[in-house]
Amino acid sequence: MRMSPRGYALLVLVLSARTLAASASEFEGYEAYVQPDVLRVRASASADASILTRLPINHPVWVVGAPTAEGFVEVQVNNQEVITSDRDALKGFVRADMLGKRQTEKMLEDQLASARTPQEQWMWLERLMALRGSEIDKERMRTLAQQSGNKEWLAQAKRMEEPPPTVIGVCFQGRVSILAQLVGNKLEPLVESHDNAAQNSPKVRAAEARLRARALELTTLRFSHYRPGMLGTGYLVQPRVVTAEDILETARTRIELGPCPQLRGEVSVFNAHVFVSAPLESNQDATFSSAELARYVAQLPSPVHELRVFTPPGRFVELNIAGAVYLFQKGKPEAWACSTGACTRRRLTSTQAPVWLQLASGQQMRIGSQTEDVDNTGWGTPANSGLWVSPEFVIHVFDGNGGLVEGKVTLDQYGC
């Protein structure tokens, strides 16, 4: 957290005077916005208290308590740009002087222009970088770090060159569950399986600690969320690590990042499907005509029953028939990959209801479940008819050279 020596001093005094004037019993809450590039939300009103989550610049919070003697206020946090219920809100404590009105690029640019010291310049550049993330801001930070020789700034400027982690999740049981992280050409599962009897063992506790630390790293990432016909972005800022038990006495420890968002103004309960902490391309190919599909269909086993066609953006056509998947490169009628023995070089795991996504980097992802429609709303809120379901989500990643990465992650659910 970084504090401006001026600029917001008057605003902070006004907010403090307003809240100090009210007793705890008559305090009226109000909305405020995060001022620094990153703000820590703590479990109690102390700088040494454990961190519950981190909030990005301009994230709205609802102040629910008057300032403490230590200079903290209690706030309630909801997911940005979504509607959530009170039970899904997170409460914690933040420094009162780190809250203020919503900032704009012009406000920050004006503060940067009037900054007198390198420290002030760096602070305003950090905020601009967090707000818009432009290459110009990044270059200005690099230049300032080099001119100052500040080792911490130099290290931070170097980290800016590293791409943010690509984390993949789905809407599951009404909440966002993180499945895996894409590291280069490998998928690292972020779900731990273990015997329920060993739930308190050092190994399981260590796994939970690893996921808890990773969850905090994810809170300031912007996630793109996708469902058919809609692509949106926003932060998911309510991390928790949960362990769910199923009837087989096994457990899955996983990261949840708050409830599945329902966009403002949307009345449907049909929630977003897939969440990726990387920019997604929104283009989708038009549905193929029968004539265009004929040469691909000709390569399938005969007779063909229950043919479903997926036309992901870019380079693939997927034909799904009775549990078997055939993937074709566009313009080439021979099967490129499939889920049967006919494809010896590239084998796909057959999945139900796949979702195709394309990253801005050019990689394509195919995410599906071994259990079709695991909660009757396409990975939304649970609505099963009293059955235990352990859906195994399968993630395929394709790079521009035809490389294929596959990962499987199993989650538990009980529908009633």
Side-chain angles (χ1 to χ4, degrees):
M1 295 182 296
R2 294 159 200 86
M3 178 179 174
S4 169
R6 66 183 194 283
Y8 295 101
L10 180 59
L11 178 62
V12 170
L13 286 173
V14 170
L15 292 177
S16 299
R18 175 182 175 184
T19 52
L20 285 171
S23 66
S25 61
E26 60 185 13
F27 178 84
E28 293 185 6
Y30 60 92
E31 189 174 61
Y33 294 87
V34 172
Q35 299 299 295
D37 55 332
V38 177
L39 176 62
R40 300 176 182 90
V41 180
R42 297 187 181 273
S44 63
S46 169
D48 299 322
S50 59
I51 300 172
L52 300 177
T53 189
R54 298 185 179 96
L55 305 178
I57 189 172
N58 272 352
H59 196 96
V61 301
W62 186 255
V63 180
V64 297
T68 67
E70 296 79 12
F72 283 80
V73 290
E74 187 177 15
V75 297
Q76 178 175 298
V77 181
N78 291 326
N79 282 347
Q80 191 180 42
E81 303 300 333
V82 302
I83 297 173
T84 60
S85 62
D86 288 342
R87 68 178 179 84
D88 287 318
L90 176 146
K91 285 187 177 180
F93 292 82
V94 301
R95 280 174 48 185
D97 57 359
M98 292 290 102
L99 299 178
K101 64 181 181 180
R102 190 173 182 88
Q103 299 178 91
T104 66
E105 293 180 20
K106 184 181 185 308
M107 290 168 56
L108 297 179
E109 286 283 8
D110 290 344
Q111 293 287 354
L112 177 61
S114 61
R116 297 179 180 178
T117 67
Q119 286 73 22
E120 289 183 14
Q121 292 176 345
W122 185 262
M123 179 185 65
W124 297 117
L125 281 172
E126 282 182 316
R127 295 186 181 187
L128 277 167
M129 188 67 193
L131 185 62
R132 65 189 181 189
S134 72
E135 287 299 319
I136 294 176
D137 299 328
K138 191 182 296 185
E139 179 59 33
R140 288 194 290 187
M141 292 186 74
R142 278 194 297 260
T143 301
L144 183 57
Q146 292 169 354
Q147 291 175 346
S148 68
N150 186 305
K151 292 183 179 180
E152 183 180 342
W153 295 357
L154 287 168
Q156 189 171 338
K158 184 177 181 181
R159 285 194 299 271
M160 288 191 302
E161 301 303 319
E162 302 171 359
T166 300
V167 184
I168 305 160
V170 295
C171 189
F172 180 75
Q173 288 185 295
R175 301 188 71 87
V176 177
S177 288
I178 299 299
L179 300 179
Q181 177 173 340
L182 179 61
V183 183
N185 289 324
K186 291 182 63 178
L187 275 171
E188 174 195 359
L190 294 178
V191 176
E192 297 281 350
S193 302
H194 52 81
D195 293 332
N196 188 41
Q199 190 168 342
N200 294 316
S201 69
K203 182 178 180 181
V204 172
R205 292 299 186 192
E208 290 185 2
R210 179 182 75 90
L211 293 184
R212 190 169 290 109
R214 183 61 57 84
L216 278 175
E217 294 173 3
L218 303 182
T219 55
T220 53
L221 292 180
R222 182 177 290 276
F223 278 75
S224 297
H225 48 87
Y226 172 84
R227 70 168 171 82
M230 186 197 76
L231 177 65
T233 61
Y235 293 97
L236 297 168
V237 298
Q238 302 170 37
R240 65 173 186 166
V241 176
V242 297
T243 299
E245 301 174 16
D246 66 17
I247 199 170
L248 302 177
E249 294 299 317
T250 61
R252 308 282 186 263
T253 302
R254 65 181 186 269
I255 298 172
E256 287 184 352
L257 290 180
C260 302
Q262 183 178 336
L263 298 188
R264 292 187 188 278
E266 183 182 336
V267 297
S268 171
V269 297
F270 191 50
N271 290 327
H273 284 172
V274 180
F275 297 80
V276 183
S277 64
L280 298 177
E281 298 288 350
S282 60
N283 60 305
Q284 186 76 17
D285 288 345
T287 303
F288 278 60
S289 67
S290 298
E292 290 172 310
L293 282 175
R295 59 176 181 165
Y296 299 110
V297 174
Q299 304 298 317
L300 300 179
S302 183
V304 174
H305 299 289
E306 299 179 10
L307 175 65
R308 290 184 293 176
V309 181
F310 297 87
T311 56
R315 40 189 280 251
F316 291 124
V317 177
E318 176 181 334
L319 303 185
N320 208 319
I321 58 167
V325 177
Y326 287 81
L327 201 61
F328 298 86
Q329 285 186 297
K330 289 175 181 174
K332 298 180 181 180
E334 65 274 8
W336 183 82
C338 64
S339 61
T340 70
C343 302
T344 57
R345 192 162 68 94
R346 294 187 184 91
R347 292 291 299 273
L348 292 175
T349 298
S350 178
T351 63
Q352 305 290 344
V355 173
W356 278 88
L357 300 171
Q358 182 165 307
L359 304 184
S361 63
Q363 289 177 306
Q364 286 180 272
M365 293 193 300
R366 178 183 182 273
I367 303 173
S369 173
Q370 298 284 68
T371 306
E372 185 172 12
D373 201 13
V374 296
D375 48 22
N376 296 338
T377 55
W379 310 338
T381 54
N384 281 305
S385 55
L387 297 177
W388 284 95
V389 181
S390 296
E392 187 171 58
F393 293 96
V394 179
I395 306 168
H396 295 111
V397 180
F398 308 91
D399 62 28
N401 298 320
L404 172 62
V405 181
E406 180 180 296
K408 298 182 182 181
V409 181
T410 302
L411 295 172
D412 299 326
Q413 171 176 314
Y414 180 70
C416 55

